[in-house]
Amino acid sequence: MNYVKAKVVANDKNLYIPVKDGSVVSFADKVEIEQALGLDDIKNPLVCGYLEMYEYDDKNKQILPVRLNSQFLIGPKGAHLNISGISGLASKTSYAMFLMKAIQEEYLKKEDDSVAFVMLNVKGRDLLAIDEINSDLNENDKKLYEMLGLSAKPFENVNYYYPYSRDNFSNTYHSKEYIQEQKYLNKAYTYKFTYEHDKENLDLLFANIDDPTQTMDSIVNFIISGQGKFSTIEEWETFKNEINEYCQAGNSRNDKEITVSSWRKFKRIVNKSLNNPIFADRIVEGNNEIRLQNVVKNIKTNEIKVIDIAKLDENMQGFVFGDVMRAIYDLKLGQFDEEREEDDIPNKIVIFIDELNKYASTDIPKSSPILRQIIDIAERGRSLGIILFSAEQFKSAIHDRVKGNASTHAYGRTNAIEVSKKDYTFIPQVYKGMMTRLKQGEYVIQNPIFRSLLNIKFPKPIYKQFK
């Protein structure tokens, strides 16, 4: 005897009664699968992977693309993507890149809408050759892309931005020769931060510092407002010398409301970062040197800006990320209207950042300016056209207001302890079990238009992979 337990997710005759004993059970074809899962009438379709049904049965096996409504991924009806899964196996970066590739190709066809991308490279050389073909793709991989309606070509319109160093490579995991070749092709630049233009971002260096009495905040405001001799300073070295003066006991320059011990704490934190060569006195024009704010300010439709921060320490990574987010926010709020026409600004800008736990975890101080910025983007970004694609190992560690405002969630392989957390209480037990044994290239997707969670797969990356 064969015993079948069935859950009715859809039917074509609107008969919402239990399946009768003795009913005939059969495999569904592609059309029936799409009807059952609500995939047959998707508006604004954007491919997000493929579904493999009955893979154990060669005769009835079905492979079909899965599409979601792009307006629930990058606005205006919903926005933001959060990807979670254990390190390595879950392929979080690869899946985010697959979706962004699908978005870029889809938006190349549009005349009434536009998108651009800003990607932060946080691991090794992962994203430092995304406009070069993956030589390991075989014919089956290419057929999968064809089935999904995508080309097997790498990303287009890509530029790379590396942290400045005197030898051109000590601040990055990329080779000096590779960077020189990219510069020769006018697609690579090095970025710097000058005191004149970037002193207002000093608060970003304290994003992970608990400051309950707000003394560090008071010092930053003291400096930015140009009090004391800070209004006449133009270089970082002079700035550090002036800080030293405030650290001397009994000096006449000190503001009575800020103690010497507070200035000394400020000095220790700031000096650690200012020793990095990306804090420079000037930008050398004609030497492929730029400010990241100018990069963001001038971003154009369908462009991809890859910013390398992988080899920087955690404080500096946060500083760069915060600076980029502020620049994007200012651009969309019209702070650069005098320099750019509104019609020339991409309607949507997608920011991709891995290891979100560094900037928006439950352990980050509430006063963190980067956390405040991320929360603001999560809550208001949809209306402004700023879309956050983020990834982390454990979703339960991320701030509720950040993950709660993401309309699309992708769950990769994780462990039993993680799926027992409150973030997974609404997920049926069968999917919780599935999450602990997902293979590489598999995700469980949650999106408002899907009638249930979907276990989807996606093909190998189409861009160059470094071993």
Side-chain angles (χ1 to χ4, degrees), residues 350-466:
V350 177
I351 310 170
F352 172 57
I353 180 71
D354 199 351
E355 299 185 13
L356 183 66
N357 53 290
K358 289 183 178 179
Y359 316 107
S361 77
T362 52
D363 296 328
I364 298 294
K366 292 181 180 179
S367 60
S368 166
I370 297 178
L371 175 61
R372 290 199 302 267
Q373 189 83 58
I374 292 174
I375 290 174
D376 207 22
I377 288 175
E379 295 179 339
R380 296 181 57 207
R382 177 181 58 81
S383 60
L384 294 172
I386 305 174
I387 315 302
L388 181 65
F389 280 20
S390 57
E392 73 284 329
Q393 291 188 35
F394 300 112
K395 183 180 178 180
S396 60
I398 302 302
H399 196 289
D400 287 343
R401 288 167 67 185
V402 177
K403 62 192 175 190
N405 280 287
S407 63
T408 304
H409 298 267
Y411 302 91
R413 184 169 176 176
T414 189
N415 58 47
I417 297 174
E418 173 67 4
V419 297
S420 67
K421 303 286 180 66
K422 67 175 184 178
D423 292 88
Y424 300 82
T425 52
F426 71 94
I427 295 176
Q429 189 60 44
V430 64
Y431 286 101
K432 290 182 184 179
M434 190 184 296
M435 288 175 190
T436 63
R437 57 180 187 272
L438 290 172
K439 298 177 182 177
Q440 192 165 19
E442 276 189 277
Y443 272 93
V444 172
I445 304 296
Q446 176 194 357
N447 184 271
I449 68 157
F450 296 151
R451 290 175 179 168
S452 67
L453 297 174
L454 291 182
N455 176 208
I456 60 96
K457 299 181 179 181
F458 67 98
K460 293 178 183 176
I462 38 77
Y463 57 91
K464 185 178 178 66
Q465 302 292 289
F466 293 98

Side-chain angles (χ1 to χ4, degrees), residues 303-352:
E303 285 187 338
I304 298 176
K305 307 297 186 183
V306 180
I307 301 168
D308 182 28
I309 60 173
K311 206 172 181 180
L312 300 177
D313 65 41
E314 196 165 307
N315 268 2
M316 285 308 307
Q317 287 184 349
F319 183 87
V320 176
F321 179 44
D323 178 61
V324 169
M325 283 199 302
R326 281 182 175 176
I328 292 173
Y329 216 69
D330 287 345
L331 176 66
K332 297 299 284 185
L333 286 173
Q335 298 298 309
F336 306 124
D337 280 358
E338 295 179 0
E339 301 169 60
R340 289 198 67 173
E341 295 290 336
E342 186 177 348
D343 294 342
D344 189 40
I345 299 173
N347 294 339
K348 300 176 179 70
I349 298 177
V350 177
I351 310 170
F352 172 57

